[in-house]
Amino acid sequence: MFGLKHWYQTFGVCTVGPVTDVEPTGGDDAAARDAVDALLEQWLSLRPDLDFTPFAVTIRLSQLRGRIEAEVEANLRAHGVRVPDFAALITLMRIGGEGGVTQHYLAGQLGLTPGTVSVRIDRLVQAGLAERGADPTSKRRTLIVPTTAGRDLFERVIPSHLATEGRMLAALSDEDRNQLAGLLRTLLVEFETRQPVTVSRVGLDVAPAHETIDKRALVGLDRTPGLLVRAVEPGSVADCAGLRPGDVLVRAGLTELRSRARLDTVLRDAAVRPVELAVLRGEESVAVRLDLHAVTAGTTRLTRADLTPR
C-alpha cells in the first residue's frame, strides 16, 4: 500500500529518522530554522507554482510523531509492556471502575474494531493484567476488568510514561504548550462528528472546512474554505436568519470561519451583539445577520422579524 510514509519519501523525507540530508541555510536566522525549511526552499525553487504550506505543517507533525512514539515505545519496553497493550490497559483503568466494561465499549473508546480489541484483551489476560468476568446484567456478555497486577503495572509505569512525554516537550514553555494544544484541538475537533453546543443550539449542522472544500469541488465550485451548512432545524435561529442547507459560512465580520470551534465562539459573542455572516450560496455572496440577543433565554425560536437576512 502506498501510505503516508511512502508519500513523504517521494519528497525526499525520511519519516523514521530526522531530516538530516538537507542543511538549513539562512545566515543569522539559521538557528531558528529546521531542515524542513531548507527542503521547502528547494521545492519552491523547483516548483514555485505549487503551494507547499500544508506540507510544512504535516511533515513536521509526522516527524515529531515518529520521534515521540519511538521514545514512548522504548520507555514502555523497558517496563516489559507493548504500546498497544498499555493503551488498552490505561483505557480500562480510566473507564473500567471496579466492575469492568464490555469488549464492545472498550473497542469504541479505543477507536478499534471488536476483533482487534479481542486480541489485545487476550494478551492482557495471558499476561495476568486483566480478566474476563460474567456480566450480572446479561448472561450473553462478559466484562473486562484489570487485575491487581494490571493496576500495579499501571501505577508503576504511568509516572515514567508521562515524564517521557514531558521530556519530549521540554523545548516548549507552559505557555507554548497551551498554545500548541489549543491549535491542535481546533484541528482535531474538525475530524470529530459532534457539533459544538452553541452551533447545535441555533439549529445548525455544519460540515468542517476540509469536507466543504471537497463537496464544492465535486459540483464544480471554487475551493473556498468555510463551513458547509448540512441541515437547518425548522423554526430555529438559523432558519429565521435565512440560512439554508448548502450555504457556506465564510466569515463573521472580519473573522474567517475555518473551524466549527471558531463558529461556536462567534455565536457565543452573538448573544451580546449582532453578527454579520458572509455566506456563499453557490457562487453568490450573501450577507446574513444573526442577533441572538433577541432570543428569549432558554429558547431558540424567533420570528423572521427578529433576524432578517440582508
Side-chain angles (χ1 to χ4, degrees):
M1 181 180 292
F2 190 83
L4 186 63
K5 174 181 176 181
H6 298 92
W7 167 250
Y8 285 135
Q9 286 175 346
T10 65
F11 281 89
V13 176
C14 174
T15 57
V16 178
V19 181
T20 57
D21 57 331
V22 183
E23 290 297 327
T25 60
D28 292 340
D29 294 333
R33 293 161 53 84
D34 60 18
V36 174
D37 289 316
L39 187 69
L40 289 169
E41 284 182 357
Q42 290 184 352
W43 274 110
L44 288 171
S45 67
L46 291 170
R47 293 300 304 272
D49 57 308
L50 297 177
D51 178 15
F52 283 92
T53 53
F55 179 74
V57 176
T58 58
I59 182 55
R60 288 185 171 99
L61 288 175
S62 178
Q63 283 278 306
L64 289 168
R65 175 183 175 180
R67 292 166 186 255
I68 293 172
E69 286 184 343
E71 292 289 330
V72 167
E73 183 177 359
N75 178 64
L76 293 179
R77 191 166 55 246
H79 287 86
V81 60
R82 301 169 69 250
V83 172
D85 299 339
F86 188 67
L89 178 62
I90 63 175
T91 304
L92 271 178
M93 293 294 299
R94 177 171 58 86
I95 65 176
E98 295 297 326
V101 294
T102 65
Q103 178 176 308
H104 180 78
Y105 185 62
L106 180 60
Q109 290 291 302
L110 288 168
L112 300 171
T113 65
T116 300
V117 168
S118 179
V119 173
R120 296 191 182 183
I121 293 171
D122 288 343
R123 286 203 298 258
L124 291 179
V125 171
Q126 291 168 6
L129 302 176
E131 59 186 5
R132 291 183 171 93
D135 185 345
T137 65
S138 174
K139 294 181 179 180
R140 301 177 59 185
R141 294 189 305 188
T142 60
L143 297 177
I144 316 303
V145 186
T147 62
T148 300
R151 295 178 187 277
D152 289 344
L153 177 67
F154 170 82
E155 294 298 339
R156 280 199 319 273
V157 176
I158 193 65
S160 175
H161 175 70
L162 294 174
T164 298
E165 293 183 329
R167 178 172 58 82
M168 297 302 291
L169 299 175
L172 302 178
S173 66
D174 289 345
E175 182 179 355
D176 291 336
R177 294 186 191 190
N178 290 335
Q179 183 179 10
L180 178 58
L183 292 172
L184 294 174
R185 182 186 303 111
T186 296
L187 186 59
L188 185 58
V189 163
E190 297 308 291
F191 293 90
E192 297 180 348
T193 56
R194 61 185 176 86
Q195 297 284 327
V197 174
T198 310
V199 176
S200 298
R201 180 175 180 268
V202 301
L204 279 176
D205 179 2
V206 296
H210 63 272
E211 289 185 15
T212 300
I213 291 171
D214 271 350
K215 291 182 183 298
R216 284 180 62 85
L218 285 174
V219 295
L221 296 173
D222 62 66
R223 299 169 63 86
T224 301
L227 304 176
L228 176 68
V229 177
R230 290 189 288 217
V232 179
E233 181 185 351
S236 66
V237 172
D239 183 36
C240 293
L243 290 171
R244 307 174 187 172
D247 285 349
V248 175
L249 312 182
V250 179
R251 289 188 312 280
L254 299 177
T255 302
E256 287 187 309
L257 295 177
R258 288 177 173 252
S259 71
R260 292 178 293 185
R262 181 61 56 84
L263 175 62
D264 187 66
T265 300
V266 165
L267 292 177
R268 291 176 188 274
D269 292 342
V272 178
R273 63 184 69 84
V275 172
E276 303 289 337
L277 296 178
V279 176
L280 276 179
R281 187 164 290 161
E283 296 181 345
E284 180 187 3
S285 295
V286 180
V288 173
R289 186 172 187 265
L290 283 178
D291 186 2
L292 271 68
H293 190 60
V295 184
T296 303
T299 181
T300 60
R301 291 186 174 274
L302 299 176
T303 65
R304 289 192 178 274
D306 292 321
L307 292 175
T308 306
R310 303 192 308 171

